[in-house]
Amino acid sequence: MRHFGQIAPDVRKRLFHQEPCFFTADSPARLLSAALGATLYSPATRPSLADDILKQGARGLVSMVLCLEDSIDDADVPVGEANLVRRLTDLAERSDTDVPLLFVRVRTPEQIPDLVRRLGPAARLLSGFVLPKFTEERGIPFLEALAAAEATSGRRLFAMPVLESPDLLYRESRVQTLEGIFRAVDKYRDRVLALRLGVTDFCSSYGLRRGPDMTAYDVQIVASVIADVVNMLARADGTGFTVTGPVWEYFRVQERMFKPQLRQSPFLEGQAVELRQKLIEHSMDGLLREISLDRANGLLGKTCIHPSHVLPVHALSVVSHEEFSDAQDILRPERCGGGVMRSAYTNKMNEVKPHRAWAGRTLLRAEIFGVANEDIGFVELLAAGLSD
């Protein structure tokens, strides 16, 4: 699989200075953790689950979560498990089983080995499990169950813990909770692919819900948690993990309170005025702003609940030609001693030592999502994906 693989080769050549790389479910964890992109959640109870997986994969999705937790009623868990096993078994028996990275969001540790056992050979389609309401105390049994299931199945299985516990939100317990989470995921570092943020649960603890005109970073109690999670769990010194962006809940808005957050000029230059209007009508301007803030705050990828969110996440993950140029200059071997230089675009200072970690992350993102040509911005990437 590859990002933007659904776009015709001649169009990709026009869009990209460096095209996205190919990868598989067996690629190194470092690459996969950054390649998750938009991770689409789907209730495991859907009768069309197998067809949905193939359809979304053909549209450019590379990671998907089949949910047995909050997206379904408590009474529907047995039905959801049975449907999941049946649909994945059906999918595994087809000849066209090039599927996205698939994860199952479970409720209890016991579900992990049980589902792997019930899936049998079809377990080869799974890349891992999403672990809810993760803390050190709750999380260790999940990670132990994952390790046991991995040993039984003979297949590498990753964990994606969800950070959404009230203990993480409350000021008096936050640092202690984060320290415990770090101990747990550090112990099982080889199996933890990424950490996911459960911002909806954070808001729930205070009876809050952000509107379509607000990003997660406008809700100060939520923004403070994101900052502390990144501070303690996403450091660039080799101890950190990939932390993914929070879910965007909206896909169509009937009435707006504030002005749209998308400037007109990029769409005028790209002859995509209708695209701008369509994005505004579907509340995508708020999503695009939040994606930009995710990356500015150290997050990569995003939880998604609607297929229309996938392309915007991926389009804004592409490395610009300017970013690529700066990153390459900073990491040149002859620059290993440090120093400062004017950027090739002559619009900023590149200081080698402070910017080295940023440059390394940027080149990893460039490998996975590609590098846009000099005259290509996110508008052209969005338009190409939507017209495919």
Side-chain angles (χ1 to χ4, degrees), residues 169 171 174 202-203 206 208 216 218-226:
L169 187 64
R171 179 186 291 273
R174 184 179 304 172
F202 290 160
C203 290
Y206 288 89
L208 305 175
D218 294 312
V219 183
Q220 290 301 299
I221 188 69
V222 170
S224 71
V225 181
I226 294 175

Side-chain angles (χ1 to χ4, degrees), residues 27 42 50-51 75 91 104 137-138 149 183 185 207 228 242 255 270 272 290 307 309 335 348 381:
S27 293
S42 175
D51 291 333
L91 194 58
V104 177
E137 182 179 2
R138 277 182 51 86
R183 284 192 296 268
V185 295
D228 286 343
T242 294
E255 185 178 354
E290 186 166 283
H309 297 171
R335 304 286 187 188
K348 72 178 77 64
L381 292 162

Side-chain angles (χ1 to χ4, degrees), residues 58-72:
R59 291 178 174 178
L61 184 75
V62 304
S63 64
M64 190 169 185
V65 173
L66 315 176
C67 186
L68 289 165
E69 209 225 358
D70 286 348
S71 69
I72 66 173

Side-chain angles (χ1 to χ4, degrees), residues 150-205:
E150 184 180 72
T152 300
S153 67
R155 170 157 184 83
R156 180 179 69 170
L157 294 170
F158 287 115
M160 290 203 291
V162 185
L163 310 185
E164 55 189 346
S165 165
D167 289 338
L168 184 59
L169 187 64
Y170 301 150
R171 179 186 291 273
E172 67 271 20
S173 55
R174 184 179 304 172
V175 172
Q176 182 179 356
T177 302
L178 282 168
E179 289 173 342
I181 289 170
F182 179 80
R183 284 192 296 268
V185 295
D186 188 49
K187 182 179 178 180
Y188 290 86
R189 178 174 291 272
D190 291 344
R191 291 189 174 90
V192 176
L193 190 61
L195 306 176
R196 311 200 71 89
L197 288 166
V199 163
T200 301
D201 279 52
F202 290 160
C203 290
S204 172
S205 296

Side-chain angles (χ1 to χ4, degrees), residues 112-128:
I112 295 175
D114 181 58
L115 286 170
V116 170
R117 177 187 59 79
R118 291 163 65 181
L119 282 166
R124 67 179 176 81
L125 298 180
L126 290 184
S127 290

